[in-house]
Structure formats: structure tokens, C-alpha cells
Amino acid sequence: RVSEAAHFSSYDTLAISAVETKLAGQNVAPEDLKNLVNALETNVRKEMSKYFKNIISAGEIPAGSKAVRLDLSLTEVKPTDVAMNLIVGFGAGNATASVEGRFIDARNGRELAAFMDRKKGSPFTKKEFDAGAKFPNWSELRYLYLFTEIWAENISNIVKSNR
């Protein structure tokens, strides 16, 4: 959902909060979860650089700046279970992950947009299908990294559509 007050062209700074993993991570090693969070932050920064002059950490927001804060949370992270896919089939062991987020006006605390998305690993979009050459066996964490790229693009589209 996007507020009528969401006009991202009036902001020059995006302040990204540390990605939360409040419900995610039960199915992955802490190091893998950390790498996944880093991939999400990197991909979001890359996409957002198209629309914001400055991209900073949320703790660095200068007083009086025209900043919007982006809060992100991974709420589900389950890597591909190759054995389950081979034994049971029907995508029973597909990677699954969910992200939630919101854009907040840093000056007044007003929510500008909120979103959530859940991805399940199967080549159901052209991007995922085309990535087959990049990730030939779709094992373990590879789908999860692809999800971070797709989410970054989708988040970027929220900004692009509301400029």
C-alpha cells in the first residue's frame, strides 16, 4: 500500500535501517543468513541509487535533511531442500523466503508505503527462468540470493511509480 503523500521525488536521501531477521533464519546457518542480508542490502542500495542522491545508514540521518527511511525485515528464509525435491517432487523442497518493508518520512515519521512479498523457488518468472544458466542446479541458498535481486527491483519500482 502506498500513501497519497508518497512523492519520492521530494527526497534526496534514502536512509536504510539494518535488515531485521526477526522470524527468519531457523533453517539457515547464521553465516548464511548474514550473507543473505548483505546481498539484500547491496541489491537495494544498487537499485535505489537510481532515485536518491545519497544513500546512508538510518543512524546517520542529518537533522533537517530531506530523507526517507527504508525499514526491511526478512520474515521467512528456507533454502532449497534438494533431497526433498528429488524424493517427493512437486516443489516440496523449494526455497521459500519473505520480506516486509516500509518507507517512512524521516522528518515526521509518517509511513509513505508498506509492502510484503513471498517468493517460492521455481522458475515462474522470466528472470528466474533466465537465471538458470547462472544457477544451474538451483540448490541450497541460490534461489534466496535471486529473491534479493527481485525484491530490490520491486522496491525500486515503488519509488519509480511514485515520483
mmCIF file of all heavy atoms in Angstrom, residues 70-117:
data_model
loop_
_atom_site.group_PDB
_atom_site.id
_atom_site.type_symbol
_atom_site.label_atom_id
_atom_site.label_comp_id
_atom_site.label_asym_id
_atom_site.label_seq_id
_atom_site.Cartn_x
_atom_site.Cartn_y
_atom_site.Cartn_z
ATOM 1 N N LEU A 70 14.064 3.529 4.932
ATOM 2 C CA LEU A 70 13.572 2.241 4.468
ATOM 3 C C LEU A 70 13.872 1.205 5.535
ATOM 4 O O LEU A 70 15.034 0.979 5.884
ATOM 5 C CB LEU A 70 14.247 1.848 3.142
ATOM 6 C CG LEU A 70 13.935 0.449 2.611
ATOM 7 C CD1 LEU A 70 12.436 0.266 2.340
ATOM 8 C CD2 LEU A 70 14.743 0.178 1.340
ATOM 9 N N ASP A 71 12.811 0.617 6.080
ATOM 10 C CA ASP A 71 12.935 -0.474 7.039
ATOM 11 C C ASP A 71 12.630 -1.775 6.316
ATOM 12 O O ASP A 71 11.605 -1.871 5.628
ATOM 13 C CB ASP A 71 11.933 -0.310 8.191
ATOM 14 C CG ASP A 71 12.137 0.959 8.989
ATOM 15 O OD1 ASP A 71 13.277 1.462 9.032
ATOM 16 O OD2 ASP A 71 11.160 1.454 9.583
ATOM 17 N N LEU A 72 13.492 -2.768 6.470
ATOM 18 C CA LEU A 72 13.304 -4.073 5.832
ATOM 19 C C LEU A 72 13.404 -5.177 6.871
ATOM 20 O O LEU A 72 14.182 -5.079 7.821
ATOM 21 C CB LEU A 72 14.374 -4.315 4.768
ATOM 22 C CG LEU A 72 14.327 -3.464 3.513
ATOM 23 C CD1 LEU A 72 15.588 -3.656 2.689
ATOM 24 C CD2 LEU A 72 13.101 -3.831 2.686
ATOM 25 N N SER A 73 12.651 -6.240 6.637
ATOM 26 C CA SER A 73 12.716 -7.397 7.515
ATOM 27 C C SER A 73 12.536 -8.665 6.698
ATOM 28 O O SER A 73 11.573 -8.775 5.925
ATOM 29 C CB SER A 73 11.618 -7.307 8.572
ATOM 30 O OG SER A 73 11.673 -8.409 9.433
ATOM 31 N N LEU A 74 13.461 -9.592 6.851
ATOM 32 C CA LEU A 74 13.283 -10.935 6.295
ATOM 33 C C LEU A 74 12.465 -11.706 7.322
ATOM 34 O O LEU A 74 12.870 -11.826 8.477
ATOM 35 C CB LEU A 74 14.627 -11.625 6.076
ATOM 36 C CG LEU A 74 15.449 -11.137 4.899
ATOM 37 C CD1 LEU A 74 16.816 -11.797 4.897
ATOM 38 C CD2 LEU A 74 14.739 -11.424 3.598
ATOM 39 N N THR A 75 11.306 -12.190 6.914
ATOM 40 C CA THR A 75 10.423 -12.853 7.869
ATOM 41 C C THR A 75 10.352 -14.358 7.676
ATOM 42 O O THR A 75 9.763 -15.053 8.496
ATOM 43 C CB THR A 75 9.012 -12.252 7.797
ATOM 44 O OG1 THR A 75 8.540 -12.340 6.457
ATOM 45 C CG2 THR A 75 9.026 -10.794 8.242
ATOM 46 N N GLU A 76 10.926 -14.849 6.606
ATOM 47 C CA GLU A 76 10.958 -16.289 6.354
ATOM 48 C C GLU A 76 12.154 -16.561 5.455
ATOM 49 O O GLU A 76 12.350 -15.861 4.465
ATOM 50 C CB GLU A 76 9.664 -16.732 5.667
ATOM 51 C CG GLU A 76 9.601 -18.191 5.329
ATOM 52 C CD GLU A 76 8.319 -18.569 4.582
ATOM 53 O OE1 GLU A 76 7.620 -17.680 4.066
ATOM 54 O OE2 GLU A 76 8.049 -19.773 4.519
ATOM 55 N N VAL A 77 12.934 -17.559 5.789
ATOM 56 C CA VAL A 77 14.068 -17.953 4.952
ATOM 57 C C VAL A 77 14.208 -19.468 5.046
ATOM 58 O O VAL A 77 14.503 -20.003 6.107
ATOM 59 C CB VAL A 77 15.394 -17.287 5.414
ATOM 60 C CG1 VAL A 77 16.558 -17.799 4.591
ATOM 61 C CG2 VAL A 77 15.305 -15.779 5.324
ATOM 62 N N LYS A 78 13.953 -20.119 3.933
ATOM 63 C CA LYS A 78 14.097 -21.575 3.887
ATOM 64 C C LYS A 78 14.827 -21.931 2.596
ATOM 65 O O LYS A 78 14.297 -21.717 1.502
ATOM 66 C CB LYS A 78 12.730 -22.246 3.923
ATOM 67 C CG LYS A 78 12.793 -23.766 3.967
ATOM 68 C CD LYS A 78 11.403 -24.362 3.859
ATOM 69 C CE LYS A 78 11.401 -25.191 2.607
ATOM 70 N NZ LYS A 78 10.163 -25.519 2.024
ATOM 71 N N PRO A 79 16.053 -22.451 2.685
ATOM 72 C CA PRO A 79 16.770 -22.812 1.469
ATOM 73 C C PRO A 79 16.149 -24.026 0.783
ATOM 74 O O PRO A 79 15.338 -24.734 1.374
ATOM 75 C CB PRO A 79 18.180 -23.137 1.967
ATOM 76 C CG PRO A 79 18.079 -23.323 3.422
ATOM 77 C CD PRO A 79 16.801 -22.708 3.886
ATOM 78 N N THR A 80 16.527 -24.236 -0.446
ATOM 79 C CA THR A 80 16.068 -25.392 -1.195
ATOM 80 C C THR A 80 16.537 -26.676 -0.513
ATOM 81 O O THR A 80 17.679 -26.786 -0.091
ATOM 82 C CB THR A 80 16.630 -25.355 -2.636
ATOM 83 O OG1 THR A 80 16.196 -24.145 -3.251
ATOM 84 C CG2 THR A 80 16.167 -26.540 -3.455
ATOM 85 N N ASP A 81 15.641 -27.621 -0.412
ATOM 86 C CA ASP A 81 15.971 -28.955 0.083
ATOM 87 C C ASP A 81 15.977 -29.876 -1.131
ATOM 88 O O ASP A 81 14.933 -30.379 -1.560
ATOM 89 C CB ASP A 81 14.939 -29.403 1.116
ATOM 90 C CG ASP A 81 15.272 -30.743 1.749
ATOM 91 O OD1 ASP A 81 15.984 -31.557 1.109
ATOM 92 O OD2 ASP A 81 14.814 -30.973 2.881
ATOM 93 N N VAL A 82 17.160 -30.057 -1.709
ATOM 94 C CA VAL A 82 17.296 -30.811 -2.955
ATOM 95 C C VAL A 82 16.781 -32.230 -2.782
ATOM 96 O O VAL A 82 16.073 -32.765 -3.639
ATOM 97 C CB VAL A 82 18.762 -30.798 -3.440
ATOM 98 C CG1 VAL A 82 18.920 -31.632 -4.699
ATOM 99 C CG2 VAL A 82 19.219 -29.372 -3.700
ATOM 100 N N ALA A 83 17.115 -32.868 -1.663
ATOM 101 C CA ALA A 83 16.674 -34.245 -1.429
ATOM 102 C C ALA A 83 15.152 -34.333 -1.407
ATOM 103 O O ALA A 83 14.562 -35.246 -1.999
ATOM 104 C CB ALA A 83 17.258 -34.769 -0.122
ATOM 105 N N MET A 84 14.501 -33.375 -0.748
ATOM 106 C CA MET A 84 13.035 -33.372 -0.684
ATOM 107 C C MET A 84 12.440 -33.211 -2.081
ATOM 108 O O MET A 84 11.464 -33.880 -2.423
ATOM 109 C CB MET A 84 12.549 -32.244 0.225
ATOM 110 C CG MET A 84 11.053 -32.205 0.406
ATOM 111 S SD MET A 84 10.414 -33.568 1.363
ATOM 112 C CE MET A 84 10.719 -32.969 3.007
ATOM 113 N N ASN A 85 13.044 -32.365 -2.889
ATOM 114 C CA ASN A 85 12.548 -32.195 -4.259
ATOM 115 C C ASN A 85 12.716 -33.470 -5.074
ATOM 116 O O ASN A 85 11.848 -33.816 -5.879
ATOM 117 C CB ASN A 85 13.265 -31.033 -4.953
ATOM 118 C CG ASN A 85 12.626 -29.698 -4.652
ATOM 119 O OD1 ASN A 85 11.497 -29.625 -4.195
ATOM 120 N ND2 ASN A 85 13.355 -28.627 -4.894
ATOM 121 N N LEU A 86 13.816 -34.185 -4.860
ATOM 122 C CA LEU A 86 14.056 -35.421 -5.612
ATOM 123 C C LEU A 86 13.155 -36.558 -5.140
ATOM 124 O O LEU A 86 12.648 -37.332 -5.942
ATOM 125 C CB LEU A 86 15.521 -35.833 -5.495
ATOM 126 C CG LEU A 86 16.524 -34.918 -6.194
ATOM 127 C CD1 LEU A 86 17.947 -35.339 -5.858
ATOM 128 C CD2 LEU A 86 16.313 -34.924 -7.699
ATOM 129 N N ILE A 87 12.944 -36.654 -3.834
ATOM 130 C CA ILE A 87 12.176 -37.765 -3.282
ATOM 131 C C ILE A 87 10.673 -37.541 -3.427
ATOM 132 O O ILE A 87 9.939 -38.403 -3.918
ATOM 133 C CB ILE A 87 12.534 -37.988 -1.792
ATOM 134 C CG1 ILE A 87 13.988 -38.428 -1.680
ATOM 135 C CG2 ILE A 87 11.609 -39.001 -1.133
ATOM 136 C CD1 ILE A 87 14.546 -38.368 -0.276
ATOM 137 N N VAL A 88 10.198 -36.368 -3.011
ATOM 138 C CA VAL A 88 8.765 -36.090 -3.011
ATOM 139 C C VAL A 88 8.314 -35.458 -4.324
ATOM 140 O O VAL A 88 7.260 -35.768 -4.851
ATOM 141 C CB VAL A 88 8.382 -35.175 -1.821
ATOM 142 C CG1 VAL A 88 6.906 -34.827 -1.849
ATOM 143 C CG2 VAL A 88 8.760 -35.831 -0.510
ATOM 144 N N GLY A 89 9.135 -34.552 -4.849
ATOM 145 C CA GLY A 89 8.762 -33.838 -6.069
ATOM 146 C C GLY A 89 7.739 -32.750 -5.802
ATOM 147 O O GLY A 89 7.508 -32.358 -4.662
ATOM 148 N N PHE A 90 7.113 -32.250 -6.844
ATOM 149 C CA PHE A 90 6.069 -31.231 -6.762
ATOM 150 C C PHE A 90 6.514 -29.977 -6.014
ATOM 151 O O PHE A 90 5.705 -29.288 -5.411
ATOM 152 C CB PHE A 90 4.795 -31.791 -6.100
ATOM 153 C CG PHE A 90 4.263 -33.011 -6.763
ATOM 154 C CD1 PHE A 90 4.375 -34.249 -6.149
ATOM 155 C CD2 PHE A 90 3.665 -32.924 -8.013
ATOM 156 C CE1 PHE A 90 3.892 -35.387 -6.770
ATOM 157 C CE2 PHE A 90 3.184 -34.060 -8.639
ATOM 158 C CZ PHE A 90 3.291 -35.298 -8.014
ATOM 159 N N GLY A 91 7.816 -29.685 -6.001
ATOM 160 C CA GLY A 91 8.314 -28.480 -5.351
ATOM 161 C C GLY A 91 8.279 -28.530 -3.836
ATOM 162 O O GLY A 91 8.342 -27.496 -3.179
ATOM 163 N N ALA A 92 8.186 -29.730 -3.258
ATOM 164 C CA ALA A 92 8.077 -29.861 -1.794
ATOM 165 C C ALA A 92 9.259 -29.252 -1.059
ATOM 166 O O ALA A 92 9.107 -28.772 0.064
ATOM 167 C CB ALA A 92 7.935 -31.333 -1.411
ATOM 168 N N GLY A 93 10.429 -29.242 -1.676
ATOM 169 C CA GLY A 93 11.613 -28.707 -1.013
ATOM 170 C C GLY A 93 12.088 -27.393 -1.580
ATOM 171 O O GLY A 93 13.245 -27.015 -1.404
ATOM 172 N N ASN A 94 11.205 -26.677 -2.267
ATOM 173 C CA ASN A 94 11.617 -25.419 -2.886
ATOM 174 C C ASN A 94 12.001 -24.373 -1.839
ATOM 175 O O ASN A 94 11.415 -24.309 -0.764
ATOM 176 C CB ASN A 94 10.501 -24.848 -3.751
ATOM 177 C CG ASN A 94 10.391 -25.535 -5.093
ATOM 178 O OD1 ASN A 94 11.214 -26.373 -5.437
ATOM 179 N ND2 ASN A 94 9.381 -25.188 -5.850
ATOM 180 N N ALA A 95 12.964 -23.544 -2.210
ATOM 181 C CA ALA A 95 13.344 -22.411 -1.366
ATOM 182 C C ALA A 95 12.138 -21.495 -1.201
ATOM 183 O O ALA A 95 11.352 -21.305 -2.131
ATOM 184 C CB ALA A 95 14.489 -21.646 -2.003
ATOM 185 N N THR A 96 12.012 -20.929 -0.010
ATOM 186 C CA THR A 96 10.917 -20.015 0.283
ATOM 187 C C THR A 96 11.469 -18.883 1.141
ATOM 188 O O THR A 96 12.257 -19.128 2.051
ATOM 189 C CB THR A 96 9.794 -20.725 1.057
ATOM 190 O OG1 THR A 96 9.421 -21.905 0.351
ATOM 191 C CG2 THR A 96 8.577 -19.835 1.207
ATOM 192 N N ALA A 97 11.076 -17.666 0.836
ATOM 193 C CA ALA A 97 11.515 -16.530 1.641
ATOM 194 C C ALA A 97 10.495 -15.407 1.524
ATOM 195 O O ALA A 97 9.800 -15.282 0.517
ATOM 196 C CB ALA A 97 12.891 -16.050 1.188
ATOM 197 N N SER A 98 10.426 -14.608 2.586
ATOM 198 C CA SER A 98 9.505 -13.474 2.616
ATOM 199 C C SER A 98 10.238 -12.236 3.113
ATOM 200 O O SER A 98 11.119 -12.331 3.973
ATOM 201 C CB SER A 98 8.336 -13.745 3.570
ATOM 202 O OG SER A 98 7.598 -14.855 3.150
ATOM 203 N N VAL A 99 9.842 -11.099 2.569
ATOM 204 C CA VAL A 99 10.380 -9.811 3.002
ATOM 205 C C VAL A 99 9.209 -8.874 3.269
ATOM 206 O O VAL A 99 8.165 -8.970 2.620
ATOM 207 C CB VAL A 99 11.335 -9.213 1.945
ATOM 208 C CG1 VAL A 99 10.604 -8.802 0.692
ATOM 209 C CG2 VAL A 99 12.133 -8.051 2.503
ATOM 210 N N GLU A 100 9.384 -8.027 4.256
ATOM 211 C CA GLU A 100 8.423 -6.966 4.544
ATOM 212 C C GLU A 100 9.212 -5.675 4.657
ATOM 213 O O GLU A 100 10.381 -5.691 5.028
ATOM 214 C CB GLU A 100 7.699 -7.223 5.875
ATOM 215 C CG GLU A 100 6.848 -8.446 5.867
ATOM 216 C CD GLU A 100 6.182 -8.710 7.205
ATOM 217 O OE1 GLU A 100 6.295 -7.856 8.123
ATOM 218 O OE2 GLU A 100 5.562 -9.771 7.336
ATOM 219 N N GLY A 101 8.567 -4.577 4.349
ATOM 220 C CA GLY A 101 9.267 -3.309 4.473
ATOM 221 C C GLY A 101 8.315 -2.134 4.445
ATOM 222 O O GLY A 101 7.126 -2.273 4.177
ATOM 223 N N ARG A 102 8.899 -0.986 4.751
ATOM 224 C CA ARG A 102 8.123 0.248 4.692
ATOM 225 C C ARG A 102 9.057 1.431 4.516
ATOM 226 O O ARG A 102 10.214 1.400 4.942
ATOM 227 C CB ARG A 102 7.248 0.418 5.915
ATOM 228 C CG ARG A 102 7.988 0.490 7.207
ATOM 229 C CD ARG A 102 7.061 0.387 8.397
ATOM 230 N NE ARG A 102 7.805 0.732 9.600
ATOM 231 C CZ ARG A 102 7.337 1.376 10.623
ATOM 232 N NH1 ARG A 102 6.080 1.764 10.624
ATOM 233 N NH2 ARG A 102 8.068 1.647 11.665
ATOM 234 N N PHE A 103 8.534 2.451 3.860
ATOM 235 C CA PHE A 103 9.215 3.728 3.700
ATOM 236 C C PHE A 103 8.593 4.700 4.689
ATOM 237 O O PHE A 103 7.367 4.827 4.751
ATOM 238 C CB PHE A 103 9.032 4.278 2.280
ATOM 239 C CG PHE A 103 9.810 3.546 1.225
ATOM 240 C CD1 PHE A 103 9.208 2.567 0.451
ATOM 241 C CD2 PHE A 103 11.140 3.849 0.996
ATOM 242 C CE1 PHE A 103 9.919 1.900 -0.544
ATOM 243 C CE2 PHE A 103 11.867 3.188 0.008
ATOM 244 C CZ PHE A 103 11.249 2.210 -0.761
ATOM 245 N N ILE A 104 9.440 5.394 5.449
ATOM 246 C CA ILE A 104 8.996 6.338 6.469
ATOM 247 C C ILE A 104 9.633 7.698 6.195
ATOM 248 O O ILE A 104 10.840 7.785 5.958
ATOM 249 C CB ILE A 104 9.447 5.873 7.882
ATOM 250 C CG1 ILE A 104 8.975 4.463 8.183
ATOM 251 C CG2 ILE A 104 9.018 6.869 8.954
ATOM 252 C CD1 ILE A 104 7.504 4.317 8.398
ATOM 253 N N ASP A 105 8.828 8.761 6.232
ATOM 254 C CA ASP A 105 9.375 10.116 6.114
ATOM 255 C C ASP A 105 10.185 10.385 7.383
ATOM 256 O O ASP A 105 9.641 10.352 8.491
ATOM 257 C CB ASP A 105 8.236 11.123 5.979
ATOM 258 C CG ASP A 105 8.734 12.534 5.747
ATOM 259 O OD1 ASP A 105 9.618 12.996 6.507
ATOM 260 O OD2 ASP A 105 8.229 13.192 4.823
ATOM 261 N N ALA A 106 11.478 10.636 7.235
ATOM 262 C CA ALA A 106 12.369 10.805 8.388
ATOM 263 C C ALA A 106 12.079 12.087 9.163
ATOM 264 O O ALA A 106 12.417 12.178 10.339
ATOM 265 C CB ALA A 106 13.830 10.785 7.939
ATOM 266 N N ARG A 107 11.430 13.062 8.529
ATOM 267 C CA ARG A 107 11.138 14.325 9.213
ATOM 268 C C ARG A 107 9.948 14.222 10.163
ATOM 269 O O ARG A 107 9.960 14.767 11.247
ATOM 270 C CB ARG A 107 10.885 15.437 8.201
ATOM 271 C CG ARG A 107 12.150 15.817 7.411
ATOM 272 C CD ARG A 107 11.823 16.788 6.326
ATOM 273 N NE ARG A 107 11.149 16.046 5.248
ATOM 274 C CZ ARG A 107 10.949 16.508 4.037
ATOM 275 N NH1 ARG A 107 11.323 17.725 3.724
ATOM 276 N NH2 ARG A 107 10.376 15.776 3.125
ATOM 277 N N ASN A 108 8.905 13.506 9.732
ATOM 278 C CA ASN A 108 7.684 13.493 10.545
ATOM 279 C C ASN A 108 7.243 12.097 10.981
ATOM 280 O O ASN A 108 6.249 11.949 11.677
ATOM 281 C CB ASN A 108 6.537 14.204 9.813
ATOM 282 C CG ASN A 108 6.222 13.548 8.482
ATOM 283 O OD1 ASN A 108 6.438 12.364 8.278
ATOM 284 N ND2 ASN A 108 5.696 14.349 7.552
ATOM 285 N N GLY A 109 7.952 11.063 10.539
ATOM 286 C CA GLY A 109 7.622 9.697 10.944
ATOM 287 C C GLY A 109 6.427 9.091 10.238
ATOM 288 O O GLY A 109 5.997 7.993 10.560
ATOM 289 N N ARG A 110 5.901 9.774 9.232
ATOM 290 C CA ARG A 110 4.730 9.280 8.507
ATOM 291 C C ARG A 110 5.120 8.133 7.568
ATOM 292 O O ARG A 110 6.094 8.218 6.838
ATOM 293 C CB ARG A 110 4.102 10.408 7.691
ATOM 294 C CG ARG A 110 2.852 9.954 6.935
ATOM 295 C CD ARG A 110 2.229 11.051 6.115
ATOM 296 N NE ARG A 110 1.881 12.171 6.988
ATOM 297 C CZ ARG A 110 1.949 13.433 6.600
ATOM 298 N NH1 ARG A 110 2.354 13.743 5.395
ATOM 299 N NH2 ARG A 110 1.609 14.396 7.430
ATOM 300 N N GLU A 111 4.314 7.069 7.595
ATOM 301 C CA GLU A 111 4.541 5.948 6.688
ATOM 302 C C GLU A 111 4.099 6.338 5.284
ATOM 303 O O GLU A 111 2.969 6.784 5.082
ATOM 304 C CB GLU A 111 3.762 4.724 7.161
ATOM 305 C CG GLU A 111 4.007 3.498 6.292
ATOM 306 C CD GLU A 111 3.300 2.265 6.822
ATOM 307 O OE1 GLU A 111 3.851 1.608 7.716
ATOM 308 O OE2 GLU A 111 2.183 2.002 6.347
ATOM 309 N N LEU A 112 4.996 6.186 4.331
ATOM 310 C CA LEU A 112 4.698 6.530 2.940
ATOM 311 C C LEU A 112 4.256 5.316 2.133
ATOM 312 O O LEU A 112 3.437 5.432 1.226
ATOM 313 C CB LEU A 112 5.928 7.154 2.285
ATOM 314 C CG LEU A 112 6.446 8.433 2.936
ATOM 315 C CD1 LEU A 112 7.750 8.864 2.300
ATOM 316 C CD2 LEU A 112 5.397 9.532 2.861
ATOM 317 N N ALA A 113 4.838 4.167 2.437
ATOM 318 C CA ALA A 113 4.495 2.945 1.717
ATOM 319 C C ALA A 113 4.878 1.753 2.567
ATOM 320 O O ALA A 113 5.835 1.812 3.346
ATOM 321 C CB ALA A 113 5.227 2.891 0.374
ATOM 322 N N ALA A 114 4.112 0.679 2.410
ATOM 323 C CA ALA A 114 4.420 -0.576 3.087
ATOM 324 C C ALA A 114 4.229 -1.709 2.076
ATOM 325 O O ALA A 114 3.377 -1.617 1.184
ATOM 326 C CB ALA A 114 3.506 -0.778 4.292
ATOM 327 N N PHE A 115 5.028 -2.735 2.204
ATOM 328 C CA PHE A 115 4.958 -3.833 1.244
ATOM 329 C C PHE A 115 5.387 -5.141 1.898
ATOM 330 O O PHE A 115 6.041 -5.153 2.929
ATOM 331 C CB PHE A 115 5.846 -3.541 0.029
ATOM 332 C CG PHE A 115 7.290 -3.266 0.391
ATOM 333 C CD1 PHE A 115 8.207 -4.297 0.493
ATOM 334 C CD2 PHE A 115 7.712 -1.968 0.639
ATOM 335 C CE1 PHE A 115 9.518 -4.039 0.839
ATOM 336 C CE2 PHE A 115 9.024 -1.702 0.987
ATOM 337 C CZ PHE A 115 9.932 -2.752 1.077
ATOM 338 N N MET A 116 5.004 -6.222 1.270
ATOM 339 C CA MET A 116 5.481 -7.538 1.653
ATOM 340 C C MET A 116 5.465 -8.414 0.407
ATOM 341 O O MET A 116 4.673 -8.192 -0.511
ATOM 342 C CB MET A 116 4.642 -8.165 2.762
ATOM 343 C CG MET A 116 3.212 -8.454 2.394
ATOM 344 S SD MET A 116 2.366 -9.539 3.548
ATOM 345 C CE MET A 116 3.224 -11.053 3.314
ATOM 346 N N ASP A 117 6.363 -9.375 0.373
ATOM 347 C CA ASP A 117 6.424 -10.277 -0.764
ATOM 348 C C ASP A 117 6.973 -11.611 -0.289
ATOM 349 O O ASP A 117 7.890 -11.666 0.533
ATOM 350 C CB ASP A 117 7.311 -9.695 -1.868
ATOM 351 C CG ASP A 117 7.208 -10.496 -3.165
ATOM 352 O OD1 ASP A 117 6.198 -11.197 -3.368
ATOM 353 O OD2 ASP A 117 8.145 -10.411 -3.967
#
